[in-house]
Amino acid sequence: VISEAAEALSVDAYVIGGFVRDHILERGEPKDIDIVAIGSGIELAKKVSELLPDKPKVQVFKNFGTAMLRSEDHEIEFVGARMESYRSDSRKPIVEDGSLEDDQNRRDFTINALALKLNKDGFGDLLDPFNGYDDLKQRIIRTPLDPDITYSDDPLRMYRAIRFASQLNFMIEAESLKAIKRNKDRIKIISKERILDELNKILLSDKPSKGLALLFKTGLLKKILPELTALQGIDEKDGQKHKDNFWHTLEVVDNISENTNDLWLRWAALLHDIGKAPTKKFHKKIGWTFHGHEFVGAKMVFKLFKRLRLPLNDKMKFVQKMVLLSSRPIAIVDDNVTDSAVRRLVFDAGDHIEDLMILCEADITTKNPKRFKKYHS
Ligand code: CTP
């Protein structure tokens, strides 16, 4: 239908971005479809609607020169090909009309700049000026332009690079990774909501540690979750060491991700040891302790959720509860199980006992799989 509409208006039209990327990667049918017209995207959208049997409503965003319509399960966005330039204090670009190449130039990554022609003449031709197809096959995230420009223009792209690396299990090309380290301070012009969207996508990937480790190594994690990066490192006193609670946390997040897709349970895994940095103490007789870290951690969850504008509702309470309870089963196992201790735990966990089991399994198995068996029984 889009092809027909483009013919009727005598404009060139292309499908571009995530749809093409996911189609080539065979990631299933993408819901969002981005169309670029060499001309008016709004007129093309209106024509497409006319030709569709159900004549869907076209939402026009005049200020952006874009239009959107929903058809079946798809959200289709139309834009006229454009050229973008940026000022240093904003990620909102100054926009001018441009060619398809200009439009591909303004894109974040070579794998997101691939375009497929939709006109009759040349239907299905792949327009790939930056060898994005090869990057897709070699699983590489690379920017079409100098990465310092791409990331400085729109610093959210630093998070997007890491999110795609985590979601798709891709590698970030070396120069790009260095540029992220250099430009990390620019992230301050990006709203928390947008950063969180990306962070949640990283947490929902198959192996979140991939994205979290990249965020840590580039210095971006410290900017958003300093409580978490404070867990990194091992102290030694009188020949006694504790474990590195940051890398342990990433292991727990990966472990839990094998057993649940629930975002909030994954957040609970990410924050389950959050109270350990401020409670760390060394006692000559006992060695390293984190006494009371569950209670301190549960309070930290509240502050952290508030600061990051995460939902301060049931989901926060759930994560707090998990943080509070998650180390108790370990204590029960260590103290040898007593009926009353188990009963107390089950009572406290309430309806969330299954979730608590999943979290504890993820946590305990990183330390000692045998111990989990004992707890489980
Ligand atoms: N894009 C960009 N810079 C951004 C955001 C988006 O260049 N900061 C471009 C990319 O070409 C991207 C397209 O706009 O492919 C659509 O963006 P979006 O819908 O946010 O992402 P997708 O690539 O479609 O991926 P996903 O749906 O997984 O977010």
Side-chain angles (χ1 to χ4, degrees):
V1 172
I2 298 169
S3 182
E4 257 178 76
E7 290 303 321
L9 297 178
S10 302
V11 297
D12 284 349
Y14 301 85
V15 56
I16 196 162
F19 181 94
V20 184
R21 179 197 68 223
D22 290 348
H23 180 70
I24 296 172
L25 287 175
E26 296 176 10
R27 287 185 80 216
E29 179 121 332
K31 287 215 170 357
D32 295 348
I33 306 178
D34 292 306
I35 305 293
V36 171
I38 316 303
S40 166
I42 298 173
E43 291 311 311
L44 182 62
K46 288 181 179 164
K47 193 71 184 171
V48 170
S49 167
E50 251 177 67
L51 294 178
L52 283 167
D54 58 336
K55 316 271 180 268
K57 191 173 171 292
V58 180
Q59 256 181 292
V60 175
F61 306 95
K62 255 208 173 128
N63 294 348
F64 297 99
T66 64
M68 194 272 280
L69 60 83
R70 289 200 179 87
S71 178
E72 292 168 13
D73 243 6
H74 297 295
E75 213 171 79
I76 314 175
E77 233 193 277
F78 296 81
V79 62
R82 54 171 58 175
M83 210 156 55
E84 289 182 346
S85 49
Y86 289 81
R87 291 180 321 227
S88 64
D89 58 342
S90 166
R91 68 179 286 266
K92 289 210 180 74
I94 301 158
V95 174
E96 291 164 76
D97 290 346
S99 63
L100 176 70
E101 275 217 3
D102 292 328
D103 201 280
Q104 287 173 301
N105 261 316
R106 75 176 173 92
R107 306 257 158 193
D108 50 3
F109 307 115
T110 60
I111 60 166
N112 286 345
L114 293 160
L116 286 173
K117 195 164 183 191
L118 294 175
N119 300 73
K120 258 198 202 135
D121 182 20
F123 184 86
D125 284 356
L126 182 66
L127 289 109
D128 178 17
F130 311 110
N131 294 321
Y133 186 84
D134 290 345
D135 286 345
L136 265 184
K137 291 291 156 187
Q138 291 170 36
R139 311 185 88 77
I140 293 173
I141 311 275
R142 191 195 311 273
T143 57
L145 305 177
D146 176 343
D148 278 301
I149 297 174
T150 299
Y151 294 130
S152 168
D153 278 354
D154 177 0
L156 183 66
R157 290 170 169 173
M158 299 189 279
Y159 260 89
R160 284 175 59 90
I162 292 174
R163 183 258 286 194
F164 283 121
S166 201
Q167 251 181 353
L168 305 174
N169 192 20
F170 273 38
M171 228 184 78
I172 300 177
E173 174 262 336
E175 285 311 311
S176 218
L177 200 60
K178 284 186 204 157
I180 295 179
K181 285 182 191 160
R182 279 195 294 273
N183 286 281
K184 63 176 187 300
D185 294 337
R186 299 262 309 137
I187 201 72
K188 63 173 181 280
I189 69 165
I190 303 296
S191 73
K192 293 243 169 51
E193 286 80 357
R194 284 182 184 274
I195 295 178
L196 262 174
D197 270 355
E198 298 300 325
L199 193 57
N200 284 339
K201 285 181 182 168
I202 291 172
L203 267 181
L204 285 172
S205 54
D206 286 347
K207 207 167 174 245
S209 69
K210 171 138 188 175
L212 292 166
L214 283 167
L215 286 178
F216 177 71
K217 286 177 182 161
T218 51
L220 284 170
L221 192 60
K222 192 169 180 183
K223 295 195 174 292
I224 187 130
L225 288 173
E227 300 88 343
L228 196 65
T229 54
L231 296 177
Q232 191 268 330
I234 298 173
D235 282 331
E236 182 167 359
K237 220 170 189 176
D238 299 347
Q240 299 201 59
K241 289 185 191 172
H242 61 78
K243 69 172 182 290
D244 186 312
N245 285 303
F246 175 72
W247 295 105
H248 157 74
T249 292
L250 298 203
E251 250 185 278
V252 175
V253 174
D254 277 355
N255 274 1
I256 207 165
S257 303
E258 285 174 16
N259 291 316
T260 180
N261 289 323
D262 184 302
L263 176 66
W264 302 104
L265 201 42
R266 290 181 180 205
W267 264 103
L270 187 69
L271 302 182
H272 83 285
D273 270 350
I274 201 91
K276 281 193 171 169
T279 53
K280 180 160 80 178
K281 285 199 179 69
F282 184 80
H283 288 288
K284 271 217 155 77
K285 280 188 190 151
I286 328 167
W288 291 102
T289 70
F290 304 92
H291 188 70
H293 78 86
E294 309 90 328
F295 298 97
V296 171
K299 277 191 194 155
M300 288 168 78
V301 169
F302 178 78
K303 283 193 185 151
L304 191 149
F305 269 43
K306 200 169 169 191
R307 190 186 74 226
L308 298 185
R309 306 201 185 96
L310 273 153
L312 289 178
N313 50 24
D314 295 353
K315 284 155 190 163
M316 184 205 68
K317 284 188 198 139
F318 171 77
V319 175
Q320 272 191 317
K321 190 166 201 167
M322 289 297 130
V323 167
L324 195 59
L325 291 173
S326 64
S327 55
R328 292 206 195 152
I330 305 173
I332 291 174
V333 174
D334 281 347
D335 296 339
N336 289 321
V337 186
T338 64
D339 274 358
S340 62
V342 174
R343 229 177 289 133
R344 175 86 223 157
L345 184 75
V346 172
F347 178 78
D348 285 349
D351 293 340
H352 299 304
I353 190 73
E354 290 293 327
D355 296 319
L356 181 63
M357 293 281 276
I358 293 173
L359 178 56
C360 292
E361 177 170 9
D363 188 11
I364 299 172
T365 49
T366 68
K367 299 165 194 158
N368 185 345
K370 273 190 206 146
R371 211 157 66 150
F372 180 70
K373 270 197 183 153
K374 188 173 167 191
Y375 153 65
H376 197 278
S377 67

